[in-house]
């Protein structure tokens, strides 16, 4: 048997969708179905170096030392479950995976139970949000596996979900395997009696208020670019261009988009050209109340049409990221890069370094940040957090401070070289100098 997972542990929770109905309508089938289901899950967990530590009816709980093995086990199990010839009715299983700090430490009668209630509770909530046949994972799990998944497995962001017992929304991802069904109804989690929708932003086609009909092309391009860029922000849903352009030229009540698309917010705007100047008005509207959340006017000289379009889109996307997702810090992060993949890698690595600081996880985060830097060599925030990652190595006992801190200092200085006004860069350098006991130099950076 594999050694029990400890430290950073990934928990896999499963149950059978509609098990109560199955028991009531086909009680004679249930024992055989449960036996085969238990066998498939045990087989999949064992094949991927995990450990089943609890079975209660149709509920199965397993622990893995790595998030990747947990995801592989989930996919392996679903493949076997879908290929099985079930008597009477097919068995469709919900799977949820969450990662956190835990230790095996059973009590009398439960020798294989784990400490680390939070990660187990989240795995259970994530599983409960899934549909039969679906695999959902937590943010920590997604961050740890995204660079290591096989070519036939990917992640689909499902947005933040509010779970009972958790103060803040928890981002959730769906595991997508090329040979398994991957289209399911929209997740709807429950806190008490309140159904929580993920943030969904519908971008209405911008209206051309100019006398020049040629500006219609500019309006459409602006709308399309905005839809594309908004889709790069983690934790929101954005209806596709073809869907939103069905509203072009129509008088739309924004509250209608809540009914049509599940939109929580709507972006609408207009473009007016006069001579060589262009004015773009943009509003963000709460789709339920119809009230304005944010509005801004952009006045530009039309010397370079594509440059103007890029600047406006970047300004709008940054404001929406600030207001709806990552807070004011997003303004600095987004200024650092316009590469969507680099930005996503950065955010995932940052999450790992803030919440899952173990030697393997820190190395994983460092690799993600190096990839982000390769995608955008001027991405200041990636270098800052790369320096933080290198500082964790001696703290975790995997590298001599005499080599780790100078290497981190070099990375921090590179960030400063790219943007001397970056407060985070100077803060990182000051902390490293403090670790190196150069207090005078550290004070210059920190004060």
């Amino acid at each position: 048997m594999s050694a029990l997972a400890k430290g950073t542990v990934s928990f896999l929770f499963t149950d059978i969708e509609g098990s109560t109905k199955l028991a009531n309508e086909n009680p004679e089938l249930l024992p055989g179905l449960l036996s085969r289901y238990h066998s498939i899950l045990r087989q999949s967990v064992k094949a991927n170096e995990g450990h089943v530590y609890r079975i209660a009816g149709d509920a199965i709980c397993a622990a893995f030392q790595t998030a990747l093995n947990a995801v592989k086990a989930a996919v392996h199990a679903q493949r076997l479950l879908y290929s099985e010839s079930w008597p009477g009715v097919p068995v469709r299983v919900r799977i949820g995976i969450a990662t956190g700090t835990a230790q095996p430490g059973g009590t009398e009668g439960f020798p294989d139970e784990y400490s680390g209630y939070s990660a187990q509770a989240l795995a259970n909530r994530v599983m409960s949000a899934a549909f039969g046949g679906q695999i959902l994972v937590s943010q920590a799990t997604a961050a740890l596996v995204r660079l290591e998944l096989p070519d036939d497995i990917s992640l689909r962001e499902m947005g933040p979900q509010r779970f009972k017992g958790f103060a803040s929304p928890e981002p959730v991802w769906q595991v997508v395997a090329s040979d398994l069904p991957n289209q399911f109804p929209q997740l709807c989690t429950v806190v008490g009696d309140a159904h929580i929708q993920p943030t969904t932003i519908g971008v209405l086609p911008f209206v051309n208020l100019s006398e020049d009909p040629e500006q219609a092309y500019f309006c459409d391009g602006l709308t399309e670019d905005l839809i594309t860029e908004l889709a790069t922000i983690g934790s929101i849903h954005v209806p596709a261009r073809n869907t939103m352009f069905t509203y072009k030229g129509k008088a739309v009540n924004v509250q209608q988009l809540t009914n049509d698309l599940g939109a929580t917010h709507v972006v609408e705007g207009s473009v007016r050209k006069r001579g060589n100047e262009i004015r773009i008005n943009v509003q963000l509207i709460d789709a339920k109340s119809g009230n304005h959340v944010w509005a801004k006017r952009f006045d530009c000289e039309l010397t370079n049409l594509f440059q103007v379009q890029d600047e406006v889109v970047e300004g709008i996307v940054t404001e929406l990221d600030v207001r709806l997702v990552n807070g004011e810090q997003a303004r600095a992060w987004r200024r650092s890069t316009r590469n969507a993949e680099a930005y996503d890698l950065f955010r995932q690595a940052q999450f790992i370094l803030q919440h899952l600081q173990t030697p393997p996880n820190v190395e994983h985060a460092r690799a993600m940040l190096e990839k982000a830097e390769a995608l955008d060599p001027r991405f200041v925030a990636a270098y800052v957090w790369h320096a933080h990652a290198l500082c964790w190595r001696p703290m975790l006992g995997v590298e001599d401070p005499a080599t780790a801190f100078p290497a981190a200092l070099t990375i921090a200085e590179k960030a400063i070289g790219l943007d001397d006004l970056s407060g985070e860069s100077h803060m990182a350098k000051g902390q490293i100098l403090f670790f190196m006991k150069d207090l005078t130099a550290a004070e210059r950076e920190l004060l």
Side-chain angles (χ1 to χ4, degrees):
M1 185 182 76
S2 301
L4 295 183
K6 60 183 179 180
T8 299
V9 179
S10 291
F11 292 99
L12 181 151
F13 279 37
T14 78
D15 72 4
I16 297 174
E17 183 179 55
S19 58
T20 301
K21 181 180 179 182
L22 180 64
N24 290 334
E25 296 181 357
N26 299 278
E28 73 286 355
L29 296 178
L30 190 60
L33 294 178
L34 280 178
S35 176
R36 183 61 187 140
Y37 156 64
H38 290 168
S39 176
I40 288 174
L41 264 295
R42 284 187 179 277
Q43 176 186 343
S44 299
V45 169
K46 183 178 180 180
N48 290 278
E49 302 179 12
H51 170 64
V52 174
Y53 66 91
R54 188 191 311 157
I55 295 180
D58 67 322
I60 296 178
C61 307
F64 297 80
Q65 190 63 73
T66 72
L68 182 61
N69 280 346
V71 170
K72 286 181 176 180
V75 173
H76 185 268
Q78 291 291 22
R79 285 171 173 159
L80 292 178
L81 290 162
Y82 269 104
S83 65
E84 183 75 11
S85 296
W86 298 100
V89 292
V91 170
R92 294 293 174 252
V93 173
R94 307 185 297 176
I95 300 180
I97 303 172
T99 303
T101 302
Q103 295 290 336
T107 57
E108 185 177 353
F110 299 94
D112 292 343
E113 290 292 315
Y114 276 82
S115 65
Y117 171 77
S118 180
Q120 295 178 78
L122 182 56
N124 185 51
R125 298 300 186 199
V126 168
M127 178 204 69
S128 299
F131 292 86
Q134 192 174 29
I135 305 168
L136 297 179
V137 303
S138 70
Q139 181 174 12
T141 306
L144 289 170
V145 304
R146 62 161 296 150
L147 289 185
E148 300 178 322
L149 290 172
D151 292 340
D152 61 341
I153 301 176
S154 61
L155 296 175
R156 176 183 297 160
E157 193 165 3
M158 306 300 288
Q161 309 293 323
R162 288 193 180 276
F163 296 117
K164 186 176 181 179
F166 290 82
S168 302
E170 296 286 340
V172 171
W173 276 257
Q174 178 182 323
V175 176
V176 177
S178 59
D179 57 340
L180 290 174
N182 56 64
Q183 297 300 322
F184 297 92
Q186 182 173 310
L187 301 184
C188 189
T189 53
V190 179
V191 180
D193 296 324
H195 288 256
I196 307 298
Q197 288 180 295
T199 298
T200 300
I201 302 178
V203 182
L204 289 171
F206 277 50
V207 178
N208 178 23
L209 299 180
S210 306
E211 297 178 359
D212 183 1
E214 291 292 323
Q215 292 308 309
Y217 293 105
F218 178 80
C219 292
D220 288 353
L222 190 63
T223 305
E224 291 175 8
D225 282 359
L226 187 53
I227 289 172
T228 300
E229 289 296 317
L230 281 175
T232 70
I233 300 179
S235 308
I236 66 171
H237 293 170
V238 184
R241 175 215 184 271
N242 290 344
T243 300
M244 297 312 303
F245 270 74
T246 61
Y247 297 96
K248 183 177 179 179
K250 300 177 181 178
V252 180
N253 182 334
V254 295
Q255 292 167 319
Q256 175 188 341
L257 298 183
T258 298
N259 298 327
D260 293 352
L261 306 173
T264 57
H265 297 80
V266 174
V267 174
E268 64 178 17
S270 63
V271 177
R272 186 188 303 274
K273 178 176 177 286
R274 184 170 297 172
N276 200 39
E277 295 182 347
I278 191 164
R279 171 169 291 180
I280 301 169
N281 288 296
V282 187
Q283 300 90 35
L284 174 66
I285 300 169
D286 184 306
K288 185 176 181 181
S289 67
N291 295 330
H292 281 76
V293 176
W294 168 79
K296 189 167 183 177
R297 183 175 70 199
F298 296 85
D299 289 319
C300 318
E301 289 189 4
L302 207 56
T303 53
N304 185 322
L305 195 63
F306 291 112
Q307 182 179 343
V308 168
Q309 188 166 303
D310 288 347
E311 289 176 356
V312 171
V313 168
E314 180 65 18
I316 296 170
V317 169
T318 298
E319 289 296 335
L320 297 187
D321 196 357
V322 168
R323 292 177 179 275
L324 298 182
V325 185
N326 290 314
E328 192 64 31
Q329 183 61 58
R331 200 182 309 280
W333 292 337
R334 284 198 162 268
R335 270 202 305 266
S336 287
T337 187
R338 299 191 64 184
N339 186 295
E341 185 180 357
Y343 183 69
D344 187 45
L345 285 164
F346 158 72
R347 294 287 289 128
Q348 299 282 359
Q350 184 191 48
F351 179 88
I352 292 172
L353 293 172
Q354 289 174 326
H355 302 285
L356 299 166
Q357 307 98 338
T358 66
N361 294 346
V362 167
E363 285 306 293
H364 189 77
R366 183 185 59 78
M368 296 172 81
L369 291 164
E370 287 182 345
K371 185 174 181 181
E373 292 161 6
L375 290 167
D376 183 354
R378 300 189 62 81
F379 189 1
V380 173
Y383 291 106
V384 170
W385 281 85
H386 186 175
H388 289 317
L390 294 178
C391 287
W392 270 107
R393 290 176 59 80
M395 295 178 192
L396 295 169
V398 296
E399 186 175 349
D400 190 329
T403 58
F405 290 141
L409 183 62
T410 299
I411 298 295
E413 288 175 339
K414 186 166 186 177
I416 292 172
L418 291 170
D419 182 4
D420 187 48
L421 298 179
S422 166
E424 277 199 324
S425 301
H426 286 283
M427 179 69 73
K429 182 179 178 181
Q431 289 173 337
I432 296 164
L433 289 167
F434 178 82
F435 295 147
M436 297 172 72
K437 298 184 170 34
D438 189 344
L439 302 185
T440 301
E443 186 176 9
R444 284 199 300 268
E445 298 295 330
L446 295 171
L447 298 181

